[in-house]
Amino acid sequence: MTSTIERRRTALRRSALSSPMQHLLRFGFLDGTRTLFDYGCGRGDDLRLLAEMKVPARGWDPVFRPDVERQPADIVNLGFVLNVIEDAGERRETLKAAFALARKVLIVSVMLGYQSKREQFAAFEDGVRTQRNTFQKYYMQDEFRSYVEKTLRANAIPIAAGICLVFKDAVEEQLFLLARQQVRREWRLLRREPDGAAVASLIEDHREQIDAYWLRALELGRPAAPEECPQAQSLIRLVGSWRRVHEWVGRFFNPEEFEAAAIGRQEDLLVYFALSHFGRRRPVSELPDRLQRDVQFFFGSITKARNAGKRALFATGDSARLEEAAAFCHDELGIGVLNDDHDLTFHQSVLGECLPLIRIYVGCALQLFGDAGSVDLIKVHLQSGKVTFLVYDGFEGAATPRLIERIKVDLPRLRVDFFDYVGEYEPQPLREDRAGFYQR
């Protein structure tokens, strides 16, 4: 450690969970079923708050908790540690050491800052020396992801600005990526009247199992396997085999709802396979069992699935097709505000309702930026190969929400630019009718 740099002064006091922990919470990792180790926990405020949430967590810090043993955990957090280490070699070894302790996933976060930010301080090593005599290595988003991937030789999945997940378990990684592309749809269980009193009585006797199976089939968009719906396995005694369960149960529901579920699920999978070309390709044996069943049912083989995804990915480069998809989303689905053939702007909550081509186009930008859940509006530029994410102060409640952050992703250049509107700058107010950004 360089003697003149005072690393201990970078540890902050917190009254709320840090940003990485908040994202873990939002994605369901902090449900109490997984252990967590905070590598470089500082003063331990996250650990205190996690204990109150009944999350099994421990932490080590070279200054504040040096005597705690660094031990493996399902989740390891390396939160804003790399950017305060002035020695590049030590920085790499710290990242590797934290990843080695992760059984399932490492979450790593750094401070982002572009040239204007760096110019505020004196240059020192490969970063800057702050006025508090601490070191900061400010990364660019694409630089950060590349650094993590090259150091660990693993996929780094951005989930927010300056925050990535790196999975140790290949199946866990694919389940996470699959879940990100699965749209949560509400199903009404449209029942049909059975023929005959005897059949009606039989259905009522097994209504819970029948509804459970059909709801699961709608979620999957295909017949469920026995292990995917254990609460309905008693139906085997009624129909003779699991293979016959789907056909038998389907007689008592509207088939159009299942057809819609199948189309929606196939679209989700197409988006998943299109975006999977950005990461290291996993062999079929490392794909989750559920995904293997999806592939067989919807595509026939993994080769066909990946080829379909590749074709869909390449189609995003065709501005004419992109314009057509945007017009359909606006005119037929009632999504967003369309500015001629220039851009389509919509609320992030309806991204899953867009056509797959738009979802893939935005998904390409999210590969560089993170997760759409942290923004308000998404602007799809139809000619320039760019996507802009907009964050407003009080988007839901304020009479006139004001723009506080704009993130522009330039896909051809693989560049992410962040613009914040704070301080003396008067932020731009949102003058559009907000209802127009949602699905009507």
Side-chain angles (χ1 to χ4, degrees):
M1 180 188 298
T2 305
S3 59
T4 56
I5 294 295
E6 300 179 74
R7 291 188 192 174
R8 64 179 296 128
R9 302 187 69 180
T10 62
L12 302 177
R13 294 190 181 278
R14 302 181 186 278
S15 58
L17 286 175
S18 64
S19 178
M21 293 297 180
Q22 290 181 31
H23 282 84
L24 287 176
L25 181 65
R26 185 162 65 88
F27 284 115
F29 287 99
L30 302 182
D31 59 359
T33 64
R34 302 172 180 87
T35 57
L36 182 143
F37 190 80
D38 197 352
Y39 196 109
C41 62
R43 300 175 185 275
D45 291 324
D46 272 339
L47 297 177
R48 173 179 53 81
L49 294 167
L50 291 173
E52 295 174 2
M53 298 166 56
K54 309 301 182 186
V55 176
R58 298 192 67 190
W60 168 86
D61 188 88
V63 175
F64 298 96
R65 298 193 180 202
D67 298 328
V68 174
E69 180 183 358
R70 284 169 277 186
Q71 55 189 240
D74 296 326
I75 305 165
V76 172
N77 175 52
L78 189 65
F80 304 106
V81 171
L82 297 180
N83 46 281
V84 303
I85 300 176
E86 69 276 10
D87 183 272
E90 182 185 349
R91 196 183 305 144
R92 285 192 301 271
E93 292 308 309
T94 298
L95 178 57
K96 291 179 180 178
F99 189 50
L101 294 178
R103 295 193 190 100
K104 293 185 177 180
V105 64
L106 168 73
I107 181 168
V108 54
S109 51
V110 297
M111 296 290 289
L112 298 184
Y114 290 84
Q115 190 64 30
S116 59
K117 182 77 171 180
R118 300 170 191 174
E119 289 175 351
Q120 298 177 25
F121 305 102
F124 184 83
E125 299 294 344
D126 60 350
V128 299
R129 187 201 298 268
T130 71
Q131 294 174 344
R132 299 177 68 242
N133 213 22
T134 62
F135 173 82
Q136 283 290 345
K137 163 69 174 173
Y138 288 112
Y139 289 85
M140 295 186 293
Q141 178 80 347
D142 48 344
E143 174 194 13
F144 166 51
R145 180 184 183 182
S146 177
Y147 173 75
V148 173
E149 291 191 332
K150 288 180 179 179
T151 303
L152 300 181
R153 299 182 182 276
N155 289 332
I157 303 171
I159 59 170
I163 306 177
C164 283
L165 294 179
V166 189
F167 284 87
K168 185 69 69 68
D169 186 299
V171 171
E172 291 275 346
E173 177 189 85
Q174 297 308 306
L175 285 172
F176 176 78
L177 293 173
L178 194 62
R180 291 183 88 181
Q181 304 309 329
Q182 182 170 356
V183 177
R184 304 302 179 199
R185 301 176 174 92
E186 296 292 331
W187 303 108
R188 293 180 290 170
L189 292 178
L190 300 175
R191 301 189 178 99
R192 296 196 297 183
E193 290 296 324
D195 296 328
V199 176
S201 177
L202 184 65
I203 292 173
E204 285 307 309
D205 289 343
H206 298 86
R207 173 57 67 190
E208 183 178 347
Q209 293 88 351
I210 289 171
D211 285 355
Y213 175 83
W214 196 245
L215 182 59
R216 186 61 173 144
L218 291 173
E219 291 172 351
L220 295 169
R222 59 167 171 78
E227 56 269 36
E228 292 174 322
C229 190
Q231 64 269 47
Q233 290 188 28
S234 61
L235 297 178
I236 294 175
R237 293 193 294 271
L238 293 179
V239 298
S241 70
W242 185 262
R243 285 174 175 262
R244 298 181 59 189
V245 167
H246 183 82
E247 179 184 358
W248 185 77
V249 171
R251 297 174 184 173
F252 313 124
F253 294 92
N254 189 327
E256 293 181 359
E257 192 171 28
F258 183 73
E259 291 170 5
I263 292 171
R265 183 63 183 144
Q266 189 165 20
E267 290 181 348
D268 294 346
L269 291 166
L270 184 65
V271 176
Y272 164 82
F273 279 110
L275 298 177
S276 69
H277 287 279
F278 286 95
R280 289 179 170 83
R281 177 172 293 185
R282 299 292 186 183
V284 177
S285 60
E286 292 186 2
L287 298 181
D289 291 341
R290 172 183 170 179
L291 182 55
Q292 293 187 44
R293 297 187 193 101
D294 290 337
V295 166
Q296 187 62 38
F297 183 83
F298 290 106
F299 300 98
S301 70
I302 189 64
T303 300
K304 291 180 179 178
R306 285 171 172 158
N307 287 341
K310 182 183 292 186
R311 290 193 297 272
L313 180 62
F314 287 164
T316 61
D318 186 334
S319 59
R321 293 185 64 177
L322 204 59
E323 290 175 36
E324 183 179 325
F328 186 91
C329 288
H330 178 265
D331 299 340
E332 303 299 326
L333 302 180
I335 292 175
V337 174
L338 183 63
N339 180 18
D340 296 325
D341 61 352
H342 182 264
D343 60 71
L344 174 69
T345 304
F346 52 87
H347 191 265
Q348 58 86 10
S349 64
V350 297
L351 173 60
E353 304 301 321
C354 294
L355 291 184
L357 191 64
I358 298 294
R359 292 172 60 188
I360 293 168
Y361 188 78
V362 174
C364 291
L366 293 174
Q367 294 290 313
L368 299 172
F369 162 57
D371 185 77
S374 60
V375 305
D376 292 308
L377 299 181
I378 301 172
K379 177 179 285 189
V380 176
H381 302 264
L382 304 175
Q383 303 294 333
S384 62
K386 297 176 182 177
V387 177
T388 299
F389 300 99
L390 303 167
V391 181
Y392 287 84
D393 180 21
F395 183 86
E396 300 294 341
T400 306
R402 293 183 177 274
L403 181 67
I404 58 174
E405 187 175 15
R406 178 167 61 96
I407 304 101
K408 179 169 285 189
V409 180
D410 187 330
L411 292 172
R413 298 171 63 193
L414 299 179
R415 179 183 173 88
V416 185
D417 291 315
F418 293 84
F419 306 89
D420 59 56
Y421 301 89
V422 295
E424 297 181 359
Y425 182 84
E426 182 65 21
Q428 177 182 351
L430 179 65
R431 301 187 185 279
E432 296 281 356
D433 176 9
R434 271 164 288 177
F437 295 117
Y438 294 87
Q439 184 181 23
R440 289 194 294 268

